[in-house]
């Protein structure tokens, strides 16, 4: 059972980093540090969006409209942290 928990922890860590990388990329694109018209940047950006957007869409259904601010990544990161805490507490026993 601990192997499954460790595999799930690796998947959650990967999801954590994907969300962090996407958030940093969105800031860099917004401030014109990265150019979305470059093929490699576009490929990375569209891949990250394809992975995260289904999760964000479900979270945004429950969040109030906040204009230009998107709190979905923060909520998902908090959810990942909560799941990891639950897993680590249950693994200790």
């Amino acid at each position: 059972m601990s192997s499954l928990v460790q595999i799930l922890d690796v998947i959650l860590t990967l999801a954590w980093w994907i969300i962090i990388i996407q958030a940093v990329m969105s800031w860099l694109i917004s401030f014109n540090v990265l150019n979305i018209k470059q093929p490699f940047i576009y490929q990375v950006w569209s891949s990250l969006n394809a992975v995260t957007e289904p999760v964000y869409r479900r979270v945004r259904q429950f969040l109030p409209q906040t204009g230009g601010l998107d709190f979905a990544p923060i909520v998902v990161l908090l959810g990942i942290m909560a799941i990891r805490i639950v897993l680590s507490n249950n693994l200790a026993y």
Side-chain angles (χ1 to χ4, degrees), residues 18-34 36 41 44-45 48-49 52 56 60 68 70 73:
I18 288 172
I19 293 169
I20 295 295
I21 291 168
Q22 188 207 21
V24 170
M25 272 190 78
S26 72
W27 297 334
L28 294 175
I29 290 169
S30 294
F31 292 117
N32 291 325
V33 176
L34 292 178
I36 198 77
I41 301 298
V44 171
W45 178 247
L48 290 174
N49 280 337
T52 57
Y56 291 165
R60 286 183 190 124
D70 186 14

Side-chain angles (χ1 to χ4, degrees), residues 11-22:
I11 292 170
L12 290 173
T13 302
L14 180 65
W16 173 276
W17 282 109
I18 288 172
I19 293 169
I20 295 295
I21 291 168
Q22 188 207 21

Side-chain angles (χ1 to χ4, degrees), residues 4 9 24 36 41 46 50-51 53 57 66-68 71 76 84 86:
L4 292 175
D9 186 52
V24 170
I36 198 77
I41 301 298
S46 61
V51 170
E53 191 58 36
R57 192 176 314 122
T66 56
F71 290 111
V76 173
R84 290 183 75 185
V86 168

